[in-house]
Amino acid sequence: EYMGRLFFQLPMFLFCVLLTESFIPRSSVPKQDYPSLSCDELLPETSRCSLTSSSSSISIRGLNLTYTIYNNSVTSPTNLHPKAPLILIHGGPGVSHEYLQPLTYIACSGRPVIVYDQVGVGASSHVANVTANAPWLLTIDYYVEELQTLIVHLKLKTVHLLGHSWGGIVAMHYAFLRPSNLSGLIIASSLSDSQLYITSQRSILHSTVPTYTINRLKTLEDAGLFEDLEYTTIVDSLNAKWVLRTVPIPQCFQVDINPEIYVAMQGSSEFTVAGVLEHYNSTAKLGSIGVPTLVTAGVFDTMTLPVVELLRDRIPRSRLVRFERSGHMTMLDQPVESTTAINSFLTEVEMGGFQADVIQPTSHESWAIRYLTVICAVTALLLVMLLFFLRFRCGRFHSLASHDATATVVYFNGDEHSK
């Protein structure tokens, strides 16, 4: 009788369970994703216009590089006269250009804006096993060659460059060549000294993160566990502080990444440095940049203040602008402020009104200047005293010599009484 009752009640019980599961939400059900955010939505309509674009490609060492040129589709008084084009050089290395999309609206001013994907990412040729089949993709010089080839192909007699992050290094190395066609340079969130980059990051940024988290990050890095879930979770949380602070994440930030190039060139994340760039330092060459230069960064950037101040201080005609609410991706965190600052800089350069920052000496330099000033003042005083002493001595000697000469003459004249 018991088995018969159980056989009858069990189906009813299972039916009730299924019914309950259908109408009562469970905590294990994943939350709905954020709504997608296009990068166009980051800019208000007043900062956008209708753009035309045309894409093409060129061959470099047997591989295709794809580029796109943006222009304002509407003729207006601001774009009647052609302006020097601006080439945008994306970061990475090994990351495609899409995240730079808000900066293409600089073309609304009547200035052609050119973007391209470096070979190995995005719409350009991809290479399997880069180390074996295209090892030049792991050198800085090749990417300068890429840029030079593109400029020559487009027959640009005058050009401005904007390099972001790794792209800033490429742009600076092009500027080191002192090309006659380079009119203005924008170095956005970049560096000239990779060791200063990582040490200042650890002393300034990591000091604001709980000790346990930073210790775990270092432990996982030392163990090479870059694919470990704990490591990627920590990196994602740090990215939200200092790389991209905008939420939800814009679609154009979900870029194509070539991990082989990225890791081989700069390391496993934005919070470490290894590979080709581990000991990169071009600071000594910054003084050779002869064009007006705008250095930009976010206040919450992985490129900390000492890193970007070094660029500003060593480049002769340069100015530093920092964006108060931005991380590393200033063009996404503060796109209006970024495009405005860039447009203003380019206009100043072309109108001949660019004003560089007046560099104030650091505290160390200030003490050195004071020390040298004191030394110079004391030296001058000693020289004056020496001159007075020598004049006094020479004057006394001259007086004695004259007296002796007179006495001698009197003596030989035989005037003994006059002696």
Side-chain angles (χ1 to χ4, degrees):
E1 180 182 357
Y2 173 77
M3 292 299 296
R5 191 181 304 170
L6 180 63
F7 180 78
F8 174 76
Q9 292 177 346
L10 183 60
M12 294 297 296
F13 173 75
L14 293 175
F15 175 76
C16 292
V17 169
L18 291 173
L19 189 65
T20 301
E21 290 289 310
S22 300
F23 288 98
I24 299 178
R26 294 173 56 87
S27 60
S28 60
V29 175
K31 295 181 179 180
Q32 185 175 359
D33 292 334
Y34 284 118
S36 60
L37 173 64
S38 74
C39 283
D40 285 344
E41 294 178 78
L42 296 173
L43 285 161
E45 291 186 8
T46 54
S47 299
R48 304 199 306 263
C49 66
S50 176
L51 297 177
T52 61
S53 64
S54 59
S55 298
S56 187
S57 62
I58 56 175
S59 178
I60 304 175
R61 301 196 189 190
L63 300 170
N64 287 334
L65 178 145
T66 299
Y67 65 90
T68 302
I69 304 175
Y70 290 90
N71 282 286
N72 191 338
S73 64
V74 179
T75 302
S76 68
T78 61
N79 61 18
L80 284 175
H81 303 287
K83 299 178 180 179
L86 172 66
I87 296 181
L88 307 180
I89 309 169
H90 65 76
V95 175
S96 54
H97 82 274
E98 286 89 349
Y99 73 92
L100 296 174
Q101 183 179 332
L103 298 183
T104 61
Y105 284 103
I106 292 173
C108 293
S109 67
R111 181 185 311 282
V113 175
I114 303 165
V115 297
Y116 68 97
D117 281 325
Q118 295 159 13
V119 170
V121 298
S124 295
S125 293
H126 288 230
V127 179
N129 193 351
V130 170
T131 304
N133 299 320
W136 55 85
L137 294 180
L138 305 180
T139 67
I140 296 173
D141 289 344
Y142 165 74
Y143 293 96
V144 180
E145 177 189 337
E146 254 189 7
L147 178 59
Q148 287 177 308
T149 304
L150 177 62
I151 291 173
V152 170
H153 169 75
L154 296 174
K155 300 178 181 179
L156 302 179
K157 296 181 179 179
T158 307
V159 66
H160 302 286
L161 297 181
L162 185 154
H164 176 254
S165 194
W166 150 252
I169 293 176
V170 177
M172 285 189 291
H173 277 256
Y174 182 78
F176 293 157
L177 301 175
R178 301 184 68 85
S180 59
N181 58 4
L182 182 59
S183 182
L185 177 65
I186 302 163
I187 305 172
S189 299
S190 193
L191 59 90
S192 65
D193 183 345
S194 62
Q195 287 302 306
L196 175 63
Y197 160 73
I198 198 65
T199 55
S200 63
Q201 192 181 102
R202 287 169 179 166
S203 63
I204 296 173
L205 301 185
H206 291 189
S207 62
T208 67
V209 176
T211 304
Y212 175 82
T213 301
I214 290 301
N215 287 343
R216 285 300 299 160
L217 179 72
K218 187 175 186 308
T219 299
L220 293 166
E221 285 177 346
D222 291 343
L225 299 175
F226 302 115
E227 301 299 323
D228 187 90
L229 178 60
E230 183 183 5
Y231 181 79
T232 57
T233 301
I234 294 173
V235 168
D236 287 345
S237 70
L238 299 182
N239 283 341
K241 292 177 179 290
W242 299 309
V243 177
L244 176 68
R245 306 180 78 223
T246 299
V247 178
I249 295 175
Q251 293 172 352
C252 64
F253 187 64
Q254 301 168 21
V255 294
D256 175 39
I257 298 177
N258 185 323
E260 184 180 2
I261 295 177
Y262 182 85
V263 173
M265 287 290 285
Q266 87 102 50
S268 60
S269 78
E270 296 297 297
F271 306 101
T272 185
V273 61
V276 174
L277 296 178
E278 182 173 3
H279 298 289
Y280 170 77
N281 192 328
S282 63
T283 305
K285 297 180 180 179
L286 295 178
S288 67
I289 297 177
V291 298
T293 303
L294 178 67
V295 180
T296 68
V299 168
F300 301 96
D301 206 316
T302 52
M303 301 296 173
T304 57
L305 185 58
V307 173
V308 293
E309 278 188 332
L310 180 62
L311 295 172
R312 189 272 313 272
D313 293 350
R314 296 298 182 88
I315 297 174
R317 302 168 60 197
S318 63
R319 185 167 72 213
L320 172 62
V321 174
R322 297 178 81 212
F323 302 106
E324 296 294 329
R325 299 188 301 278
S326 292
H328 191 55
M329 298 293 170
T330 55
M331 73 295 298
L332 300 179
D333 285 334
Q334 290 184 263
V336 175
E337 293 84 351
S338 295
T339 54
T340 299
I342 293 165
N343 272 323
S344 297
F345 167 74
L346 296 176
T347 300
E348 288 177 22
V349 170
E350 293 176 346
M351 298 296 290
F354 172 73
Q355 295 292 326
D357 284 347
V358 177
I359 309 302
Q360 299 296 330
T362 64
S363 58
H364 176 74
E365 292 170 336
S366 180
W367 277 109
I369 291 171
R370 293 175 187 177
Y371 181 70
L372 289 173
T373 302
V374 171
I375 290 177
C376 290
V378 171
T379 303
L381 180 61
L382 291 174
L383 285 173
V384 170
M385 293 174 64
L386 179 61
L387 288 173
F388 272 107
F389 176 75
L390 291 175
R391 184 176 180 183
F392 172 76
R393 292 289 297 172
C394 289
R396 185 179 178 186
F397 174 79
H398 178 73
S399 176
L400 290 172
S402 299
H403 176 73
D404 290 343
T406 303
T408 302
V409 170
V410 170
Y411 178 80
F412 283 106
N413 282 338
D415 189 359
E416 297 180 357
H417 297 286
S418 65
K419 289 195 293 183

